[in-house]
Amino acid sequence: MGTLSQPTPLNQPRTGKGQQTKAKLLRTALDAFAEDGYQAASMRAIALRAGVSLSHAYYYFGSKEDIVLELLIALRTEQFELCSAQLDEGNTLETNIRIAFDASVQVMEKYHDFGPSFLKVLLSRDLENSELTQIEMTLWESVVVRARPLPPLAIRRDLPRFLWLLSRQIFSTWAYDSSPNQRRSRALMRSIAPVIGKFAILCRLPVVRSLFEDVLSLMDSGASSIQDRTTSTGESAYEHRSSKAKAS
Amino acid sequence: MGTLSQPTPLNQPRTGKGQQTKAKLLRTALDAFAEDGYQAASMRAIALRAGVSLSHAYYYFGSKEDIVLELLIALRTEQFELCSAQLDEGNTLETNIRIAFDASVQVMEKYHDFGPSFLKVLLSRDLENSELTQIEMTLWESVVVRARPLPPLAIRRDLPRFLWLLSRQIFSTWAYDSSPNQRRSRALMRSIAPVIGKFAILCRLPVVRSLFEDVLSLMDSGASSIQDRTTSTGESAYEHRSSKAKAS
DNA sequence: AGAGCTTTTTGAACGCGTTCAATATTTAGA
DNA sequence: TCTAAATATTGAACGCGTTCAAAAAGCTCT
């Protein structure tokens, strides 16, 4: 449970009252976000609602973005819990992908005006914050590993990462989607599942599979350098070593 | 000469002096951007430097983003002119892609701190502004149609659009690339050209080609709906018919 | 020349996110 | 218990992008 791994990047509450204040601040902020939207839930409004001064909000949260990140983590957790049961029913890969995206839209739709802000957080901090990434990766791991039939062995290891990277692209589309009720990105999510299903099957052909590897390595070099992130804070429920790891 | 196609979305200079002021404002802004960077080149600084009041800058430019868009257009134009000659030398598709990306990096590197702002403009306004899109599409048209040997007929028509969409993804990586000297996104651009080259060749196989079509339609439904945009405002200096137009 | 119109220009304000020196409060050691 | 350091909290400011009512300057017609 230790949140003491960081070299105090910002003030952590060191006393009981401090933790209480920080918690209340966070709770209030999330409520204000949900009720008033991104613009109206200003730092001033949040601080006022939490009964602290404006400047004190910055004692525990370095910026408004930090709080937005907390919201994003909460939403992704909610998404995971929402679709976790459905993923256990032994569906197709295609179905599982659809389930995951559906849950995403269901959880996020109330927060669409946070889109640009979410995206900025994602793009500018991939590296340092790993809690969010772990939640997301766990979700896509589940999507793949609980699918029946299992995807071809050749790509089973890399598919979750691919889906994760893909989901971020989709998310960036959703974030700035100005069509009514995000119709366009909903359609995109709906049509992407069968393509991946088809693609996964075709990956049995060496030609297609080598393309997949090319594409994945490209996407990877684009994502913010997740090089040797073997041991980050805490161990999550997914392992990454199943394939090689014995070469040494 | 009609600049009256829009329902006056913002004040256009109606007198000679007005045009002069707007021009000076824009010139000054672009200079300030180049010299001082995004943050330091504030609207106040620009207005001061141009010798007008702060609020007057908003008479001709609705927001700072509007001016950033002008900068982006100028840079893309510069990029096109920079690599246009090289594209005429009958190189491989792979080489042409590399030339285009190299020019992009060369023109943009001084403006890397505009990345997030550029990206926001691109994502939030794809639809309304078409001048930028036209410049970019012309570039990728050239990349494809001047390549020797020509890419397979089956994909020759859609390849420019694909490359354009791809280039925007790359751009979004570059925009938030915090590695020293944007090393990471440079590497990405370098490694993407051969993959596309390989991919274009493999598109002769029906299997791969149908995947390409799937992917393209997915990317398209993600981009902000550019449906039938046949005739937009004014005719720019590029033609669109050179390649087929006689196939019917 | 002057009245009535449009176009251009301004000054003053608003609310925002963020910073910082200073103050109040709690905690720990003698 | 008194003191001194550590922690928590505040008020006032800064600069930013943006807005708006009002003033200044041009133009047109009689």
Side-chain angles (χ1 to χ4, degrees), chain A residues 125-141:
Chain A
R125 319 197 185 192
D126 251 349
L127 181 136
E128 43 246 323
N129 161 70
S130 66
E131 185 182 357
L132 180 65
T133 302
Q134 282 185 10
I135 296 171
E136 292 178 345
M137 275 303 292
T138 307
L139 172 66
W140 294 109
E141 284 271 345

Side-chain angles (χ1 to χ4, degrees), chain B residues 14-15 21 52-53 55-56 59:
Chain B
R14 255 162 278 253
T15 140
T21 307
V52 301
S53 76
S55 56
H56 191 47
Y59 186 68

Side-chain angles (χ1 to χ4, degrees), chain B residues 26-91:
Chain B
L26 183 56
R27 215 178 325 117
T28 309
L30 261 44
D31 288 351
F33 280 163
E35 292 172 26
D36 305 333
Y38 181 75
Q39 293 234 46
S42 64
M43 290 299 276
R44 281 170 174 81
I46 292 169
L48 188 69
R49 213 166 137 160
V52 301
S53 76
L54 167 61
S55 56
H56 191 47
Y58 285 90
Y59 186 68
Y60 293 122
F61 299 97
S63 65
K64 192 179 181 182
E65 261 189 26
D66 284 5
I67 314 186
V68 168
L69 175 59
E70 299 284 347
L71 171 60
L72 195 47
I73 290 173
L75 291 177
R76 284 289 179 230
T77 304
E78 192 184 336
Q79 176 193 357
F80 181 73
E81 287 164 0
L82 187 67
C83 68
S84 180
Q86 289 180 268
L87 290 178
D88 267 326
E89 294 171 3
N91 299 301

Side-chain angles (χ1 to χ4, degrees), chain B residues 149-155 199-209:
Chain B
L150 279 166
L153 191 63
I155 63 165
F199 178 70
I201 292 168
L202 289 177
C203 266
R204 291 208 168 80
L205 304 174
V207 180
V208 176
R209 185 175 139 203

Side-chain angles (χ1 to χ4, degrees), chain A residues 8-47:
Chain A
T8 316
L10 203 64
N11 288 315
Q12 293 297 123
R14 256 161 279 253
T15 142
K17 191 179 180 194
Q19 289 178 17
Q20 203 171 324
T21 306
K22 175 169 182 175
K24 169 154 195 177
L25 209 36
L26 183 56
R27 216 179 324 117
T28 309
L30 261 44
D31 288 352
F33 279 164
E35 292 172 26
D36 305 332
Y38 181 75
Q39 293 234 45
S42 64
M43 291 298 277
R44 281 170 175 83
I46 292 169

